[in-house]
């Protein structure tokens, strides 16, 4: 700040009004868009302190804080998706056409690539903070039933998109934001494909896109609540992005 | 440090000092500047977190990003609206299912236009007028058409739709780094971005159902809808890259021996790298996005 004061407060007063109202105004606009997004924005606004004191107890996985926390968050979700599709393609339920099997196999490969991409990214950025491999719990999924497989795939893809959309504001390093952007649109393409398989034309219906044309965004807490039943370990994401 | 860059830095560093009582004065200032013209606004509105970043982020600003997005949304909105308004729309779309899907997409594009216009209005900026569009690509007859049957042949229409949606996804992706300091605008852009990706996926699915060789995601195995080296091909140039980096920068290894090689049968290196290319969508910069939009503007 010191160089700013030296340059003169007139300039500071001149510039501030130009920039701040759009943030304030748009905040209220989005606050009305979804309650979930609002909660995220509020939590992302005011608390920058890192908290590394949370102990990792047996059976609990702490995603950590800051950008590494966001990367671990994405890594956890990609692990879940990759494990799910690996099981789907290992023994296809009856009723999947050859084209659908090819597409689901491609998705399984994309997710495995995303998973290991994050593993490499976190190892490079903070090797000591990477979360372990998680143990999936797919007991609620009937892998021999096409409907159960597709319903679960839709849940995971929509959840992944909403998670990335909600996490964008938590990311500090623009490079990680770019990476998230490269992946989330592929997840959205998956989500639309799976939705169209379930019911053609539901690729972007009003259960995921709101009246501003905005796709869903969810907070870390909301996403982990939805994902937790599919993971044996207890995931603690309370400091992600903080 | 030049004056405008300084202003930009101050603008970014001071948001926490905003108080509700300042709003009306700030809006007045914004309105004045909005009227002063775009030449003044962009650098002043820039949100550059640091000097080092200022060099990387060059001239692009939040206002530039919103205006680019609005141009693309005007384009998409007009494209679908014209098709839905065709006197023979029922015949043109062939089925209620097709028409409903295009209606769903058109509704979102109209909503995106309205949202971006509201953002500009709230900031006191002037809303750019909607350009003139010619979706045949003939610039209103000034040159030979790229897509002469765009509104008479559904396959051509869907090809152009795919081009616009895929390009739109890449354009939004290219702008998010300029919004990193504004969480609210950033979230609006990323959420619009994934809506566009859903559209692109569905358009591709529609084309595949009509016999085109195309995945619901961008794949090296797609039959090209553009000619290599042409301007329209800039919507796809670079999408097939398999080099992905994490900060450092460190290149991420993708080898057949890694656990990424799943499925039966296991893939050879070339086939695996094709999956890597599919797994990441690539951004385009503002200049490329503008060039693509200009194909249809006269």
């Amino acid at each position: 700040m010191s160089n700013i004061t030296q340059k003169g407060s007139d300039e500071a007063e001149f510039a501030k009004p130009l920039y701040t109202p759009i943030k304030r105004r748009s905040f209220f606009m989005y606050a009305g868009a979804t309650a979930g997004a609002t909660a995220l924005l509020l939590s992302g606004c005011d608390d920058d302190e890192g908290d590394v004191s949370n102990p990792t107890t047996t059976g609990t996985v702490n995603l950590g804080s800051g950008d590494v926390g966001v990367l671990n968050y994405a890594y956890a979700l990609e692990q879940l998706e990759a494990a799910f599709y690996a099981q789907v393609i290992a023994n296809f339920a009856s009723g999947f056409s050859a084209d659908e099997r090819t597409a689901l196999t491609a998705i399984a490969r994309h997710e495995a690539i995303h998973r290991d991409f994050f593993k490499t990214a976190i190892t490079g950025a903070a090797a000591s903070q990477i979360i372990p491999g998680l143990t999936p719990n797919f007991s609620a999924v009937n892998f021999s039933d096409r409907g159960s497989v597709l319903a679960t795939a839709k849940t995971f893809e929509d959840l992944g998109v909403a998670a990335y959309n909600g996490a964008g504001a938590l990311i500090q390093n623009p490079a990680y934001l770019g990476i998230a952007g490269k992946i989330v649109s592929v997840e959205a393409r998956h989500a639309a494909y799976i939705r169209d398989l379930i019911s053609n034309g539901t690729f972007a219906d009003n259960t995921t896109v709101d009246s501003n044309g905005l796709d869903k965004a969810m907070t870390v807490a909301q996403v982990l609540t939805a994902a937790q039943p599919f993971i044996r370990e207890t995931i603690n994401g309370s400091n992600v992005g903080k | 440090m030049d004056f405008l860059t300084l202003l930009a830095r101050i603008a970014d560093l001071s948001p926490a000092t905003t108080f509700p009582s300042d709003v009306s004065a700030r809006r007045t200032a914004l309105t004045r500047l909005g009227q002063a013209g775009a030449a003044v606004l962009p650098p002043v509105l820039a949100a550059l977190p640091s000097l080092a970043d200022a060099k990387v982020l060059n001239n692009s600003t939040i206002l530039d990003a919103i205006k680019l997005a609005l141009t693309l949304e005007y384009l998409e909105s007009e494209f679908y609206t014209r098709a839905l308004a065709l006197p023979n729309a029922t015949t043109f779309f062939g089925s209620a299912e097709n028409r409903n899907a295009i209606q769903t997409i058109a509704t979102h594009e109209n909503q995106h236009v309205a949202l971006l216009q509201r953002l500009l209005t709230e900031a006191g900026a002037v809303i750019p007028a909607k350009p003139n569009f010619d979706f045949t690509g003939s610039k209103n007859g000034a040159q030979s058409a790229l897509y002469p049957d765009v509104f008479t042949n559904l396959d051509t229409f869907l090809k152009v739709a795919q081009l616009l949606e895929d390009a739109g996804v890449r354009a939004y992706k290219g702008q998010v780094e300029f919004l990193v300091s504004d969480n609210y605008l950033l979230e609006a852009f990323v959420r619009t971005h994934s809506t566009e990706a859903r559209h692109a996926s569905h358009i591709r699915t529609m084309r595949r159902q009509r016999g085109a060789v195309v995945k619901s995601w961008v794949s090296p195995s797609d039959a090209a809808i553009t000619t290599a080296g042409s301007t329209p091909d800039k919507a796809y140039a670079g999408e097939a890259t398999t080099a992905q980096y994490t900060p450092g920068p460190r290149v991420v290894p993708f080898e057949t021996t890694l656990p990424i090689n799943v499925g039966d049968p296991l893939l050879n290196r070339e086939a695996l790298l094709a999956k890597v290319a599919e797994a990441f969508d690539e951004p385009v910069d503002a200049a490329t996005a503008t060039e693509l939009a200009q194909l249809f503007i006269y």
Side-chain angles (χ1 to χ4, degrees), chain A residues 1 3-4 7-8 11-27 29-30 33-34 37-38 40-41 44-45 86 89 99 102-117 119-121 123-125 157-158 161 164-166 168-186 188-193 195-196 200-205 208-217, chain B residues 1 3 6-7 9-15 17-20 23 25-27 29-30 33 41 44-47 53 62 66 97 101 104-105 108 111-112 115 118-119 122-123 165-166 169 173 176-177 180-188 190-195 197-202 204-205 208-209 215-218 243-247 250-254 258-267 272 275-276 278-283:
Chain A
M1 294 298 285
N3 58 340
I4 292 166
K7 291 286 182 181
E11 290 163 12
E13 289 308 310
F14 178 62
K16 268 192 298 185
L18 301 172
Y19 182 60
T20 47
I22 196 168
K23 301 180 96 166
R24 295 176 34 72
R25 293 271 164 178
S26 46
F27 167 75
M29 187 182 309
Y30 303 138
T34 70
T38 308
L40 164 68
L41 296 170
C45 279
I89 67 170
D99 282 352
T102 301
L104 290 168
T105 303
I107 295 176
R109 288 173 171 140
H110 301 161
E111 304 300 4
I113 289 164
H114 292 164
R115 177 197 61 204
D116 280 30
F117 175 85
K119 189 177 184 179
T120 304
T123 303
E157 296 292 354
D158 280 345
V161 173
Y164 279 106
N165 282 348
L170 300 176
I171 299 173
Q172 300 301 314
N173 184 337
Y176 292 132
L177 195 57
I179 287 167
K182 287 176 173 215
I183 292 174
V184 65
S185 55
V186 175
R189 291 171 186 274
H190 292 168
Y193 171 75
R195 282 169 155 266
D196 281 337
N200 194 24
T202 59
F203 56 100
D205 67 17
T208 190
V209 177
D210 71 12
S211 59
N212 282 315
L214 300 179
D215 203 353
K216 194 181 264 189
Chain B
M1 184 189 328
F3 174 66
L6 173 74
L7 284 181
R9 287 192 62 207
I10 294 166
D12 182 58
L13 291 169
S14 307
T17 61
T18 308
F19 298 102
V23 168
R26 286 177 179 161
R27 293 205 60 185
L30 271 168
L33 257 170
L41 267 170
V44 175
L45 277 177
D53 285 346
I62 286 178
I66 299 175
E97 203 169 46
T104 296
I105 296 174
H108 294 155
Q111 289 164 342
H112 295 162
L115 177 65
R118 282 208 303 279
L119 282 168
E122 296 290 352
E165 296 292 347
D166 284 340
V169 172
K173 205 186 311 293
V176 292
E177 68 170 298
V180 73
S181 64
D182 188 326
N183 284 346
Y184 316 117
L185 195 54
L186 174 65
E187 190 174 307
V190 297
R191 294 173 62 186
T192 305
H193 170 248
S194 67
T195 300
R198 288 175 184 269
H199 295 170
S201 175
H202 186 77
R204 288 166 159 269
T205 298
R208 189 171 60 254
Q209 287 165 346
K215 304 287 188 193
S216 297
W217 35 88
V218 183
Q244 297 297 338
Y245 298 88
T246 60
R250 280 179 284 266
V251 68
V252 176
F254 297 111
L258 292 171
I260 58 173
N261 199 356
V262 299
D264 183 20
L266 293 179
L267 299 178
L272 182 65
K275 295 301 155 194
V276 170
E278 290 174 2
F280 299 90
D281 279 346
E282 300 299 320

Side-chain angles (χ1 to χ4, degrees), chain B residues 11-215:
Chain B
D12 182 58
L13 291 169
S14 307
T17 61
T18 308
F19 298 102
S21 59
D22 299 337
V23 168
S24 63
R26 286 177 179 161
R27 293 205 60 185
T28 307
L30 271 168
T31 305
R32 273 202 306 273
L33 257 170
Q35 288 162 352
V40 176
L41 267 170
V44 175
L45 277 177
L48 307 175
S50 72
L51 267 183
D53 285 346
K55 286 170 189 157
V56 175
L57 298 182
N58 64 52
N59 297 326
S60 211
T61 68
I62 286 178
L63 185 64
D64 290 337
I66 299 175
K67 285 182 167 178
L68 174 63
L70 181 58
T71 300
L72 297 170
E73 298 292 356
Y74 274 145
L75 178 69
E76 292 180 328
S77 160
E78 182 79 6
F79 176 67
Y80 296 114
T81 301
R82 281 193 200 178
L84 290 164
L86 288 171
N88 64 336
T90 305
T91 318
F92 178 68
F93 287 113
S95 72
E97 203 169 46
N98 288 345
R99 186 179 174 150
N100 291 343
I102 298 302
Q103 182 62 63
T104 296
I105 296 174
T107 300
H108 294 155
E109 310 302 8
N110 294 340
Q111 289 164 342
H112 295 162
V113 167
L115 177 65
L116 292 164
Q117 287 180 334
R118 282 208 303 279
L119 282 168
L120 288 169
T121 301
E122 296 290 352
V126 176
I127 297 174
K130 185 157 75 171
N132 295 315
F133 294 113
D134 174 358
F135 294 102
T136 69
S138 82
K139 306 250 178 208
N140 201 28
Q143 63 186 42
S144 61
L146 294 165
Y147 308 100
D149 56 351
V150 63
F151 290 126
T152 54
N153 179 335
L154 184 60
D155 290 314
T156 305
F157 173 81
L158 292 175
K159 238 184 237 186
V160 176
Q162 183 190 310
L163 185 78
L164 296 181
E165 296 292 347
D166 284 340
V169 172
R170 296 189 75 177
Y172 272 100
K173 205 186 311 293
Q175 292 304 301
V176 292
E177 68 170 298
F178 302 113
L179 308 177
V180 73
S181 64
D182 188 326
N183 284 346
Y184 316 117
L185 195 54
L186 174 65
E187 190 174 307
F189 268 56
V190 297
R191 294 173 62 186
T192 305
H193 170 248
S194 67
T195 300
E196 300 291 351
R198 288 175 184 269
H199 295 170
S201 175
H202 186 77
I203 295 285
R204 288 166 159 269
T205 298
M206 287 176 81
R207 292 191 63 236
R208 189 171 60 254
Q209 287 165 346
R210 296 173 61 81
V213 177
V214 63
K215 304 287 188 193

